């Protein structure tokens, strides 16, 4: 039923709910709280203890003027009281807070108490003005400025009256009994309004269990679907392979040799390879793709490598052409900026089979691109391509072997979950001689000294990146932040150096042109957003300054750092961050301590959870509503074993499992729908 027809909603509030992704009553039921307030712990102020998490109902006594601290942060202080004492709320860099409260009004506060100089304070507490004086454990939802927590709770209570119509139990009693699961209705009521802490945990467990089991059943089914009764091109290792390895200008690492064996073993079979290749920044994934494409070409078939940008495609094309120049293998580049005549010649060569290896961008997806015998499809930085794009390329061949590559390290547990339909190869070793990037974290008041250091590097003939954060999900604001930063540097700290800008609002051609100029050293300083996160090799760039580094996740910071340290020169990453939370400080410390991408990815997951940890939506899987792959590893293992058992015993198709099977089919239909939308 449409959410606007729920009691207390109507068309106006329905629009605000729609912006949160709530369109139906069922959406509301499955819109889970982001946190809970334990109002069973409301205490008088005089009994508070240091480092204690508490709830308080207090009155606003005084609103102090904002002031600047020694570290350059804006401090805002509000004094509160109840019948037994006083406590101050402290907010940093949130000047609006003094306009939120009014003297004399009663508010609800939740947070950690600290005692400083005999005074109780709460730093950045959660607050609720339009609160209900409800005892027990109360849900806190992610809402917007138009919907208070009080109103949202009322909407959820009304939605839960429709449980019988909107929700059905998918687990038979036998499974619920074995795995000690609540029934679905009890779980949903208590995830929103728990009677106590114990039943809240039981509700979370039931809903996480269901979410992880359904997705894993879908992945097993998907893998079975693509592996059963599907034949592909069997390509034995060509006799020239030994000679190719001998002619390489460098020695392969043990990790690269292991991964090459895994891929060539797959290619020997007449079943299509479906493999994910993970390798940290600079681990040498490109040479793996060259060897796989070489083996494909020497077996008389065609291979294709798709990259997300023209500059990266050109880079791959140059590398492949150089390494394979000793053999009579025709390699072609196909990108959008080519002339019509150039494209026509290449398209003809691809269709006739004269071109054995094609490197390109999204231009490869056009209907005009027809292959004679496409047997190998490789996508680089695969999370930049949606499911339908990869499928469109794969569909140009007859069940070709597929290799997807990423430099975004994923902890193995998460990889098994996200890519349960794929085999996984990992390059967990960097080639000798790869530069370690020295990483430093500084506060904003050190900015001038940072750019003095940048100037020293530029005066040596080197180049620099300056990264600006995406402040909001707005291309306009993104562009403004980059332009503003570039102007500021041009007019002051870096006025004697050529500066270029790069941001999401620019066209692909504009971006590629700027990157070409930077690569050719025509631009000394590139001010950019994270569009430079993936792939261009500029060995002369030795320093990257990341402004407002606290706004980035760890994995993203690591990817950005990988833009430097690609040549023979000492390289540096400087994080300028106003890190005011423990979490932000922890991220900065981790970045300065390790260059290991897999370690960083694990820490990132521990700190911020999975969220949309790259590419989940791209892969066609639903975003997790309640489970966390990293924190719920025990549930993941249990549900993975159960999923495997259900598939192997075929009990999934027995009548008692029909409802469970329907959910799995809905998931598979979702993935198939995305694939078919070419």
């Amino acid at each position: 039923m449409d959410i606007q027809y729920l009691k207390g909603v109507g068309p106006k509030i329905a629009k605000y709910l729609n912006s949160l992704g709530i369109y139906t009553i069922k959406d509301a039921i499955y819109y889970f709280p982001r946190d809970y307030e334990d109002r069973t712990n409301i205490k008088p102020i005089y009994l508070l203890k240091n480092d204690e998490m508490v709830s308080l109902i207090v009155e606003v006594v005084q609103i102090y003027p904002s002031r600047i601290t020694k570290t350059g942060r804006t401090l805002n202080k509000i004094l509160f009281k109840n019948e037994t004492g006083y406590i101050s709320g402290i907010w940093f860099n949130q000047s609006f807070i003094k306009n939120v409260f009014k003297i004399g009004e009663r508010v609800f506060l939740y947070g950690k108490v600290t005692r400083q100089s005999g005074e109780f304070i709460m730093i950045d507490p959660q607050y609720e003005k339009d609160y209900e004086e409800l005892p027990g454990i109360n849900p806190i939802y992610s809402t917007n400025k138009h919907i208070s927590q009080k109103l949202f709770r009322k909407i959820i209570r009304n939605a839960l009256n429709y449980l019988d119509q909107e929700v059905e139990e998918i687990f038979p009693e036998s499974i619920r009994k074995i795995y000690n699961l609540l029934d679905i209705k009890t779980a949903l009521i208590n995830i929103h309004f728990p009677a106590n802490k114990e039943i809240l945990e039981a509700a979370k467990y039931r809903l996480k269990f269901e979410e992880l089991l359904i997705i894993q059943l879908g992945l097993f089914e998907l893998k079975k679907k693509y592996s059963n009764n599907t034949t592909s091109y069997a390509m034995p290792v060509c006799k020239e392979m030994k000679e190719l390895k001998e002619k390489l200008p460098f020695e392969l690492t043990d990790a690269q040799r292991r991964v090459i064996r895994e891929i060539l073993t797959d290619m020997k079979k007449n079943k299509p390879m479906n493999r994910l290749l993970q390798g940290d920044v600079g681990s040498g994934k490109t040479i793996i793709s060259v060897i796989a494409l070489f083996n494909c070409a020497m077996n008389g078939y065609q291979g294709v490598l798709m990259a997300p940008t023209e500059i990266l495609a050109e880079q791959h094309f140059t590398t492949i052409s150089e390494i394979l120049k000793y053999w009579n293998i025709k390699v072609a580049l196909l990108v959008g900026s080519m002339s019509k005549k150039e494209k026509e010649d290449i398209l003809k060569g691809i269709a006739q089979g004269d071109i054995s290896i094609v490197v390109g961008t999204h231009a490869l997806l056009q209907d005009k691109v027809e292959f004679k015998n496409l047997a190998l499809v490789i996508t680089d930085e695969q999370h930049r391509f949606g499911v339908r794009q990869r499928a469109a390329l794969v569909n140009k061949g007859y069940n070709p072997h597929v290799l997807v590559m990423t430099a975004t390290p994923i902890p193995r547990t998460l990889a098994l979950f996200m890519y349960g339909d794929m085999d996984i190869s990992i390059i967990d070793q960097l080639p000798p001689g790869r530069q370690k990037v020295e990483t430093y974290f500084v506060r904003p008041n050190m900015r001038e000294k940072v750019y003095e250091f940048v100037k020293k590097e530029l005066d040596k003939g080197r180049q620099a990146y300056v990264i600006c954060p995406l402040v909001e999900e707005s291309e306009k604001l993104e562009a403004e932040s980059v332009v503003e930063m570039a102007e500021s540097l041009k007019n002051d700290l870096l006025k004697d150096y050529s500066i270029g800008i790069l941001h999401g609002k620019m066209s692909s051609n504009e971006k590629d042109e700027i990157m070409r100029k930077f690569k050719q050293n025509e631009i000394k300083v590139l001010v950019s957003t994270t569009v430079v996160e993936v792939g261009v090799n500029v060995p002369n760039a030795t320093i990257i300054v990341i402004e407002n580094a606290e706004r980035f996740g760890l994995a993203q910071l690591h990817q950005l750092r990988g833009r430097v340290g690609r040549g023979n020169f000492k390289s540096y990453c400087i994080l300028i961050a106003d890190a005011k939370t423990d979490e932000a400080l922890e991220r900065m410390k981790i970045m300065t301590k390790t260059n290991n991408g897999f370690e960083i990815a694990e820490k990132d997951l521990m700190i911020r959870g999975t969220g949309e940890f790259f590419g989940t939506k791209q892969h066609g899987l639903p975003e997790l509503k309640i489970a966390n792959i990293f924190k719920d590893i025990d549930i993941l293992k249990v549900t993975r074993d159960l999923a495997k058992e259900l598939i192997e015993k075929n009990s999934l198709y027995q009548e008692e499992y029909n409802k469970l099977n329907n959910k799995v089919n809905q998931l598979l239909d979702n993935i198939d729908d995305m694939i078919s939308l070419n």
Side-chain angles (χ1 to χ4, degrees):
M1 188 165 98
D2 193 307
I3 193 68
Q4 73 168 311
Y5 301 117
L6 182 69
K7 183 182 175 185
V9 178
K12 185 178 178 182
I13 292 174
K15 284 183 182 176
Y16 301 142
L17 291 171
N18 291 169
S19 71
L20 298 171
I22 300 172
Y23 296 90
T24 65
I25 288 176
K26 190 170 185 178
D27 290 338
I29 291 169
Y30 279 89
Y31 194 88
F32 300 139
R34 64 169 167 81
D35 206 349
Y36 297 87
E37 294 168 346
D38 185 1
R39 296 191 181 178
T40 60
N41 197 26
I42 290 180
K43 298 177 77 169
I45 288 175
Y46 78 97
L47 287 178
L48 297 180
K49 294 175 185 174
N50 199 39
D51 282 346
E52 185 180 23
M53 293 295 294
V54 295
S55 303
L56 299 172
I57 293 174
V58 290
E59 181 184 325
V60 180
V61 178
Q62 188 168 354
I63 301 169
Y64 295 94
S66 301
R67 67 181 180 85
I68 306 299
T69 67
K70 289 178 183 177
T71 59
R73 294 191 287 176
T74 304
L75 184 148
N76 295 281
K77 180 177 176 180
I78 314 284
L79 183 65
F80 303 96
K81 73 171 184 179
N82 67 14
E83 295 76 14
T84 68
Y86 292 83
I87 189 167
S88 295
I90 303 289
W91 287 266
F92 289 104
N93 293 344
Q94 298 181 56
S95 299
F96 65 87
I97 209 80
K98 60 181 181 287
N99 300 319
V100 169
F101 299 103
K102 292 177 183 171
I103 290 172
E105 71 178 344
R106 284 168 67 78
V107 298
F108 177 86
L109 296 180
Y110 177 74
K112 184 189 280 189
V113 174
T114 306
R115 194 175 181 99
Q116 288 183 5
S117 307
E119 178 188 12
F120 287 118
I121 66 169
M122 274 183 174
I123 295 177
D124 202 18
Q126 294 177 23
Y127 59 87
E128 196 176 326
K129 294 176 63 182
D130 185 22
Y131 72 95
E132 307 157 277
E133 295 200 28
L134 298 173
I137 301 168
N138 285 277
I140 302 287
Y141 296 93
S142 294
T143 64
N144 52 42
K145 65 182 180 181
H146 304 289
I147 306 176
S148 67
Q149 292 292 328
K150 183 177 179 180
L151 174 58
F152 203 91
R153 288 183 192 127
K154 185 178 177 184
I155 289 166
I156 297 296
R157 284 188 190 280
N158 289 338
L160 289 172
N161 290 330
Y162 289 84
L163 275 176
D164 286 336
Q165 296 101 300
E166 297 291 339
V167 176
E168 65 175 351
E169 178 60 77
I170 63 166
F171 289 136
E173 193 175 345
S174 56
I175 282 189
R176 294 208 307 273
K177 196 170 180 181
I178 293 167
Y179 294 96
N180 197 23
L181 302 173
L182 293 178
D183 68 86
I184 188 62
K185 289 173 188 171
T186 303
L188 287 168
I189 289 167
N190 284 280
I191 199 70
H192 290 289
F193 301 103
N196 53 54
K197 289 179 184 177
E198 290 72 29
I199 201 162
L200 171 59
E201 291 308 309
K204 286 181 182 177
Y205 186 87
R206 155 65 206 240
L207 293 164
K208 288 175 180 181
F209 191 100
E210 177 178 324
E211 191 168 51
L212 293 175
L213 178 65
I214 295 301
I215 290 180
Q216 288 186 100
L217 280 168
L219 288 170
F220 276 123
E221 282 290 298
L222 198 61
K223 190 165 189 175
K224 194 168 81 168
K225 175 180 174 181
Y226 287 113
S227 61
N228 285 358
N229 306 317
T230 305
T231 58
S232 186
Y233 304 87
M235 292 181 271
V237 179
C238 63
K239 63 180 186 297
E240 296 86 356
M241 186 61 72
K242 186 180 178 186
E243 188 185 352
L244 171 68
K245 291 179 182 176
E246 287 170 353
K247 285 188 182 293
L248 292 177
F250 47 81
E251 189 74 21
L252 293 169
T253 63
D254 290 341
Q256 286 173 319
R257 292 177 192 278
R258 184 188 69 244
V259 168
I260 289 165
R261 278 196 302 273
E262 290 169 351
I263 290 168
L264 294 179
T265 299
D266 280 354
M267 291 174 71
K268 283 181 190 175
K269 299 171 186 172
N270 65 353
K271 295 280 183 189
M273 169 174 70
N274 195 22
R275 188 169 286 277
L276 171 71
L277 172 58
Q278 288 192 75
D280 206 347
V281 175
S283 61
K285 294 179 301 300
T286 305
I287 191 59
I288 307 289
S289 64
V290 174
I291 289 170
L293 289 164
F294 175 75
N295 192 55
C296 176
M298 296 309 284
N299 272 279
Y301 299 109
Q302 290 173 298
V304 63
L305 171 57
M306 183 165 70
T309 64
E310 287 200 7
I311 194 85
L312 193 53
E314 285 178 10
Q315 200 167 280
H316 285 319
F317 171 70
T318 303
T319 302
I320 293 168
S321 300
E322 178 62 26
I323 292 173
L324 302 187
K325 65 185 176 185
Y326 303 103
W327 291 273
N328 187 26
I329 296 173
K330 190 155 186 190
V331 184
L333 177 70
L334 184 63
V335 293
S337 63
M338 286 178 157
S339 68
K340 189 178 178 183
K341 177 71 170 68
E342 285 176 311
K343 284 181 187 170
E344 284 174 356
D345 290 344
I346 290 166
L347 291 174
K348 186 178 176 183
I350 295 171
Q352 292 177 349
D354 299 333
I355 294 172
S356 299
I357 296 173
V358 189
V359 183
T361 56
H362 298 76
L364 291 163
L365 304 176
Q366 295 169 6
D367 291 338
K368 294 176 185 175
V369 184
E370 294 179 1
F371 290 84
K372 185 181 181 184
N373 55 1
L374 179 61
L376 175 64
V377 171
I378 302 177
T379 54
D380 188 20
E381 290 305 336
Q382 61 80 35
H383 63 290
R384 294 295 173 106
F385 300 106
V387 173
R388 66 194 77 175
Q389 291 172 316
R390 293 200 298 276
L393 191 54
V394 169
N395 289 340
K396 291 180 181 289
Y398 172 72
N399 300 327
H401 297 285
V402 175
L403 178 66
V404 294
M405 305 194 298
T406 181
T408 304
I410 321 165
R412 192 167 188 90
T413 303
L414 183 58
L416 284 169
F417 170 76
M418 287 176 61
Y419 297 95
D421 58 323
M422 303 184 85
D423 297 308
I424 299 170
S425 289
I426 298 175
I427 308 176
D428 50 9
Q429 180 184 9
L430 290 180
R434 172 75 188 186
Q435 287 283 331
K436 184 190 173 189
V437 180
E438 294 290 338
T439 305
Y440 300 94
F441 155 51
V442 300
R443 295 284 184 182
N445 59 354
M446 295 287 287
R447 181 175 280 110
E448 201 166 320
K449 287 188 177 178
V450 168
Y451 284 102
E452 284 298 325
F453 183 65
V454 171
K455 280 198 271 191
K456 286 179 182 175
E457 283 297 295
L458 297 176
D459 290 341
K460 291 178 191 173
R462 308 285 85 84
Q463 291 166 272
Y465 293 96
V466 176
I467 305 300
C468 301
L470 174 56
V471 181
E472 292 179 25
E473 291 296 326
S474 158
E475 285 188 341
K476 186 178 177 189
L477 284 171
E478 174 186 349
E480 282 174 2
S481 76
V482 169
V483 172
E484 198 176 298
M485 172 59 72
E487 284 301 314
S488 170
L489 293 175
K490 277 179 190 174
N491 295 331
D492 187 12
L493 297 170
L494 298 179
K495 59 186 176 185
D496 298 325
Y497 306 91
S498 55
I499 295 175
I501 61 172
L502 200 65
H503 56 74
K505 216 176 178 193
M506 296 167 76
S507 69
S508 295
N509 289 344
E510 287 173 322
K511 289 178 196 168
D512 288 332
E513 181 58 25
I514 289 291
M515 282 313 304
R516 278 192 196 91
K517 285 184 176 178
F518 187 59
K519 196 169 181 183
Q520 290 162 8
N521 206 359
E522 293 172 33
I523 291 172
K524 291 292 181 184
V525 180
L526 184 63
V527 182
S528 173
T529 55
T530 56
V531 293
V532 297
E533 182 187 332
V534 172
V536 181
N537 193 29
V538 184
N540 193 48
T542 58
I543 187 162
I544 183 165
V545 178
I546 303 177
E547 293 276 357
N548 298 106
E550 75 278 5
R551 294 181 183 271
F552 298 94
L554 268 173
Q556 199 170 36
L557 287 172
H558 179 63
Q559 283 291 301
L560 290 165
R561 175 168 61 185
R563 296 308 100 221
V564 296
R566 292 173 165 258
N568 300 318
F569 310 110
K570 185 76 185 158
S571 294
Y572 307 89
C573 172
I574 301 176
L575 310 169
I576 301 179
D578 185 13
K580 63 180 188 237
T581 65
D582 291 343
E583 180 187 312
L585 277 170
E586 180 68 12
R587 286 203 303 275
M588 299 306 114
K589 284 177 187 171
I590 291 164
M591 284 296 295
T592 59
K593 283 178 185 172
T594 181
N595 278 62
N596 184 304
F598 289 94
E599 228 176 89
I600 284 168
E602 294 233 357
K603 295 281 187 186
D604 203 19
L605 278 168
M606 287 173 74
I607 290 172
R608 66 185 177 116
T610 46
E612 289 184 30
F613 188 85
F614 104 94
T616 312
K617 284 185 175 178
Q618 302 271 32
H619 195 262
L621 298 179
E623 186 185 346
L624 296 177
K625 289 180 181 292
I626 190 166
N628 178 306
I629 305 304
F630 196 81
K631 293 176 182 172
D632 298 321
I633 184 71
D634 292 340
I635 306 176
L636 183 73
K637 287 174 181 172
V638 171
T639 54
R640 190 169 179 81
D641 290 344
L642 175 57
K644 200 171 180 183
E645 184 184 336
L646 288 169
I647 294 285
E648 285 174 355
K649 290 187 175 177
N650 224 25
S651 54
L652 183 59
Y653 303 105
Q654 294 173 12
E655 189 175 347
E656 65 175 326
Y657 291 106
N658 276 348
K659 289 174 185 174
L660 187 58
N661 192 30
N662 285 340
K663 280 251 183 179
V664 175
N665 284 332
Q666 284 170 23
L667 175 71
L668 292 175
D669 287 345
N670 177 42
I671 295 171
D672 281 341
D673 284 348
M674 290 185 73
I675 290 172
S676 64
L677 287 172
N678 293 329

